[in-house]
């Protein structure tokens, strides 16, 4: 490289990575080359792939991931340098924007050394390697079949790593075989519909995609007819249920045991209760809400514990109080109401303003309204309500309400419906002195969505449009002063029916045509005419 006399730095490019170089600079004079200065340097290596790891191990595959290095990449090469499987080689080129890859067609339960390097325009980086191992095709461990009744038993097993599901099979001595495929979230299943006093062979095997794992086998026998035949759960609420069963001849008592299923472990503890032989119903209380329970009823014959029968049930979740609203308010009171909640034992009402402390009041479940008294005028209050279920409180629902002033807002006078149409009403009223605007609201008498509209104080008429024909509506008009609304005046009205065509007649009928005539209907945009053969 030849450089100008006023240059004191230079960039040398197109070098090879991780290479020793000698750089020499000569001073050039007219017709003369001066002494030289030399320095030795080594270029750095190309950046390596980082965080090379096994993301997921399969029976016959390994999913690999990595973090691409900084720099201009053309791609990656991933390969297995030395395979201990004769005839097997693996090498794959990947684009530079990839960060994961699946190597398949491997053998199960085998270790593989996998390498990757980044490819730059200057050449490849040094490789980075890891050792991954495919999963082993193993059977289900700790397979337990228990709690047999006359027609059911429970199967439990430990999960198998990498399994996508399980096949549970049960067969009777006469060759009747049934099975069910369960996904990988299951490790418990209750088999039902079995024969009384029969031996069953029960097997389970894990499934890995399209591959079935080894089978684990056990046996169990259903109980004879002396067991309880019918165990029912009814009257479910958030914390209770009614358990009933048929009487077993000769039984001296029963033992009822219940606890959450494995999916709800930790929500409640396992409990049991002894009952005398004449009892066939029990009111189970103090259960956890929204929890699935497995319940087993054992028959007692003196000191011996006889056969049992099991079932599952789930308690209801804690519900929100619905239709919570303010029905009216004054400067010192707010009236509230709400709809009943099934299972609630009482209601908890709380309220506060920015300037006051939180206050609360508990109400009996039979009360669906309450008046908060002794409030401060022109103050915004946040009011909340929740249903109480025994010792548990359901979720809260809240609203805000501004109390009125001492001055009473005048009620709108002479509110009346002056015109009724098929889809509209026109209202009129006398203007209220001091009102800043008017609020008109309407709702179908038979129920529906309430709508409203606000007008400035300059208006004293309003047309409500887009109503349903042949429908009755409740309409309220109130005057508004600032942020305060006066008492509403209620009127009712019914929209007109759609007009009917009159005088329809057939004229000038021939063997293949007829002329129709009818009385014109005022205001319609068109007519729809339809006909069919009488035999059709």
């Amino acid at each position: 490289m030849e450089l100008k006399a006023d240059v004191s730095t230079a960039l040398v490019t197109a070098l090879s990575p991780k290479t020793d170089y000698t750089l020499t600079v000569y001073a050039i004079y007219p017709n003369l080359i001066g002494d030289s200065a030399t320095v030795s340097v080594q270029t750095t290596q190309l950046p390596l792939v980082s965080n090379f790891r096994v993301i997921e191990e399969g029976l016959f595959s390994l999913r690999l991931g990595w973090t691409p290095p900084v720099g201009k990449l053309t791609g990656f090469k991933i390969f297995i340098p030395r395979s201990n499987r004769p005839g097997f080689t693996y090498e794959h080129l990947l684009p530079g924007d990839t960060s994961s890859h699946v190597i398949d067609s491997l053998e199960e339960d085998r270790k593989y050394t996998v390498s990757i390097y980044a490819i730059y325009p200057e050449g490849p980086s040094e490789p980075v390697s890891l050792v991954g191992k495919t999963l082993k095709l193993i059977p289900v461990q700790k397979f337990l079949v228990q709690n047999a009744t006359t027609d059911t038993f429970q199967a439990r097993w430990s999960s198998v790593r990498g399994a996508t599901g399980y096949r549970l099979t049960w067969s009777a001595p006469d060759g009747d075989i049934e099975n069910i495929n369960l996904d990988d979230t299951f490790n418990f299943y209750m088999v039902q519909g079995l024969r009384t006093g029969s031996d069953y062979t029960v097997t389970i095997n894990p499934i890995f995609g399209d591959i079935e794992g080894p089978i684990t086998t056990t046996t169990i026998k259903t109980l004879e007819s002396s067991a309880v035949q019918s165990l029912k759960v009814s009257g479910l609420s958030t914390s209770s249920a009614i358990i009933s069963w048929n009487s077993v001849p000769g039984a001296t008592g029963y033992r009822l045991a219940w606890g959450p299923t494995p999916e709800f472990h930790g929500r409640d503890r396992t409990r049991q209760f002894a009952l005398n032989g004449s009892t066939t119903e029990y009111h189970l209380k103090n259960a956890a809400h929204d929890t699935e329970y497995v319940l087993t009823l054992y028959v007692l014959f003196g000191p011996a514990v006889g056969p049992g029968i099991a079932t599952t049930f789930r308690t209801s979740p804690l519900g929100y109080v619905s239709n919570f609203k303010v029905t009216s308010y004054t400067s010192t009171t707010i009236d509230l109401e709400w709809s009943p909640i099934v299972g609630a034992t009482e209601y908890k009402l709380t309220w506060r303003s920015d300037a006051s402390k939180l206050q609360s009041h508990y109400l009996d479940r039979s009360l669906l309204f309450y008046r908060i008294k002794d409030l401060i005028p022109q103050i915004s209050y946040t009011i909340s309500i929740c249903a109480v279920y025994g010792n548990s409180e359901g979720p809260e629902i809240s609203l805000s309400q501004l109390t009125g002033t001492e001055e009473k807002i005048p009620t709108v006078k002479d509110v009346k419906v002056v015109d009724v149409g098929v889809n509209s009403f026109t209202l009129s009223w006398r203007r209220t002195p001091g009102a800043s605007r008017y609020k008109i609201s309407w709702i179908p008498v038979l129920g529906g969505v309430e709508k409203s509209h606000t007008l400035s104080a300059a208006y004293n008429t309003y047309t409500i449009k887009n109503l349903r024909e042949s429908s009755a509506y409740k309409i309220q008009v109130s005057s508004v002063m600032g942020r305060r609304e006066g008492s509403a005046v209620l009127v009712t009205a019914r929209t007109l029916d759609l007009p009917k065509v009159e005088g329809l007649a057939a004229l000038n009928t021939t063997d293949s045509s007829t002329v129709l005539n009818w009385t014109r209907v005022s205001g319609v945009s068109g007519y729809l005419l339809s006909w069919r053969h009488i035999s059709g």
Side-chain angles (χ1 to χ4, degrees):
M1 297 173 58
E2 291 189 0
L3 307 173
K4 294 182 179 181
D6 59 349
V7 172
S8 60
T9 62
L11 176 65
V12 182
T13 59
L15 303 180
S16 299
K18 202 175 182 182
T19 302
D20 292 316
Y21 284 90
T22 299
L23 305 176
T24 303
V25 179
Y26 298 87
I28 301 175
Y29 299 91
N31 302 320
L32 182 65
I33 297 178
D35 291 337
S36 64
T38 300
V39 64
S40 295
V41 297
Q42 184 185 63
T43 54
T44 60
Q45 68 177 7
L46 292 170
L48 307 179
V49 172
S50 61
N51 196 23
F52 189 38
R53 64 201 183 278
V54 177
I55 298 176
E56 182 181 0
E57 299 163 335
L59 276 176
F60 310 108
S61 64
L62 293 172
R63 180 180 291 275
L64 307 167
W66 60 88
T67 302
V70 178
K72 185 177 181 181
L73 294 170
T74 60
F76 299 95
K77 181 178 180 181
I78 191 166
F79 59 100
I80 298 179
R82 295 178 301 279
S83 173
N84 52 9
R85 177 177 165 189
F88 175 80
T89 58
Y90 188 86
E91 184 175 299
H92 201 82
L93 292 175
L94 301 169
D97 59 351
T98 56
S99 60
S100 65
H101 180 67
V102 176
I103 301 178
D104 50 19
S105 301
L106 303 177
E107 296 182 11
E108 57 115 356
D109 193 29
R110 186 176 295 276
K111 290 183 178 180
Y112 289 89
T113 300
V114 187
S115 299
I116 188 173
Y117 58 74
I119 304 173
Y120 298 87
E122 299 89 341
S125 69
E126 292 292 323
V128 177
S129 301
L130 59 76
V131 176
K133 185 180 181 181
T134 54
L135 297 178
K136 185 177 181 180
L137 201 64
I138 62 173
V140 169
Q141 305 292 331
K142 298 181 181 177
F143 183 41
L144 184 63
V145 177
Q146 59 184 4
N147 296 338
T149 68
T150 54
D151 62 349
T152 68
F153 64 76
Q154 297 174 11
R156 295 181 183 273
W157 60 92
S158 57
S159 301
V160 176
R161 184 169 172 235
T164 58
Y166 303 92
R167 176 170 290 117
L168 183 66
T169 304
W170 56 98
S171 58
D174 60 0
D176 184 21
I177 300 176
E178 295 187 64
N179 63 66
I180 186 170
N181 289 335
L182 305 167
D183 64 39
D184 60 341
T185 61
F186 280 81
N187 59 6
F188 168 85
Y189 187 75
M190 178 179 287
V191 178
Q192 304 181 48
L194 304 176
R195 300 174 187 173
T196 301
S198 298
D199 292 301
Y200 281 87
T201 300
V202 189
T203 66
I204 192 169
N205 61 288
I207 299 174
F208 302 84
D210 298 329
I211 306 298
E212 294 199 14
I215 292 175
T216 303
T217 304
T218 187
T219 60
I220 195 169
K221 183 176 181 178
T222 54
L223 299 177
E224 302 295 341
S225 60
S226 60
V228 170
Q229 299 297 310
S230 175
L231 179 62
K232 296 180 180 179
V233 180
S234 61
L236 282 170
S237 70
T238 56
S239 61
S240 65
I242 296 175
I243 316 300
S244 59
W245 59 93
N246 66 286
S247 178
V248 177
T252 58
Y254 302 92
R255 189 172 75 219
L256 194 65
W258 67 94
T261 59
E263 294 81 359
F264 293 84
H265 179 72
R267 296 288 295 273
D268 199 357
R269 59 186 177 87
T270 300
R271 286 172 280 182
Q272 60 181 359
F273 197 82
L275 303 164
N276 61 46
S278 62
T279 303
T280 56
E281 186 176 286
Y282 179 74
H283 191 186
L284 188 151
K285 301 178 182 179
N286 300 321
H289 64 273
D290 197 23
T291 300
E292 185 181 65
Y293 286 86
V294 58
L295 180 144
T296 305
L297 179 67
Y298 298 95
V299 184
L300 304 180
F301 299 92
V305 179
I309 184 172
T311 188
T312 59
F313 67 91
R314 184 165 180 168
T315 52
S316 304
L318 301 182
Y320 285 92
V321 175
S322 60
N323 298 322
F324 182 46
K325 58 186 177 182
V326 174
T327 56
S328 64
Y329 64 94
T330 67
S331 58
T332 59
T333 65
I334 297 176
D335 289 347
L336 306 155
E337 71 176 25
W338 55 92
S339 296
I341 298 294
V342 176
T345 55
E346 57 185 342
Y347 298 95
K348 179 184 177 183
L349 195 68
T350 60
W351 64 92
R352 69 172 303 168
S353 68
D354 292 338
S356 65
K357 65 179 181 178
L358 184 70
Q359 299 184 67
S360 62
H361 190 73
Y362 287 88
L363 302 167
D364 186 82
R365 64 182 179 182
S366 62
L367 293 178
L368 301 176
F369 58 90
Y370 185 74
R371 170 171 289 179
I372 304 176
K373 302 178 181 179
D374 302 323
L375 302 179
I376 303 173
Q378 280 289 281
I379 293 293
S380 179
Y381 285 86
T382 299
I383 309 166
S384 302
I385 192 171
C386 68
V388 180
Y389 304 82
N391 296 323
S392 300
E393 293 184 1
E396 279 191 343
I397 185 169
S398 301
L399 55 79
S400 295
Q401 178 62 51
L402 180 71
T403 52
T405 62
E406 296 295 339
E407 178 186 356
K408 185 178 180 181
I409 301 175
T411 303
V412 180
K413 303 293 185 181
D414 294 338
V415 178
K416 54 189 173 181
V417 178
V418 295
D419 184 59
V420 178
V422 174
N423 304 110
S424 65
F425 297 130
T426 299
L427 305 172
S428 72
W429 59 89
R430 189 195 307 171
R431 289 190 176 93
T432 303
S436 57
R437 57 192 183 278
Y438 300 99
K439 179 182 177 183
I440 297 94
S441 60
W442 60 96
I443 187 172
V445 171
L446 297 180
V449 179
E450 184 179 61
K451 298 181 180 180
S452 64
H453 188 75
T454 302
L455 297 169
S456 74
Y459 291 89
N460 68 335
T461 63
Y462 179 68
T463 300
I464 304 173
K465 300 179 181 179
N466 300 320
L467 303 176
R468 292 198 300 265
E469 65 274 358
S470 306
S471 298
Y473 283 82
K474 291 191 295 185
I475 308 165
Q476 296 187 91
V477 181
S478 59
S479 55
V480 181
M481 292 183 177
R483 298 170 60 185
R484 297 181 296 128
E485 182 180 341
S487 299
V489 176
L490 174 67
V491 295
T492 59
R494 187 179 185 276
T495 53
L496 299 178
D497 299 332
L498 288 173
K500 182 180 180 181
V501 173
E502 302 288 350
L504 178 63
L507 308 175
N508 301 331
T509 301
T510 71
D511 59 344
S512 60
S513 68
T514 187
V515 175
L516 299 176
N517 184 67
W518 59 88
T519 303
R520 179 172 296 155
V521 180
S522 175
V524 302
S525 59
Y527 301 93
L528 175 65
L529 183 66
S530 61
W531 64 93
R532 65 179 175 85
H533 197 279
I534 292 175
S535 63

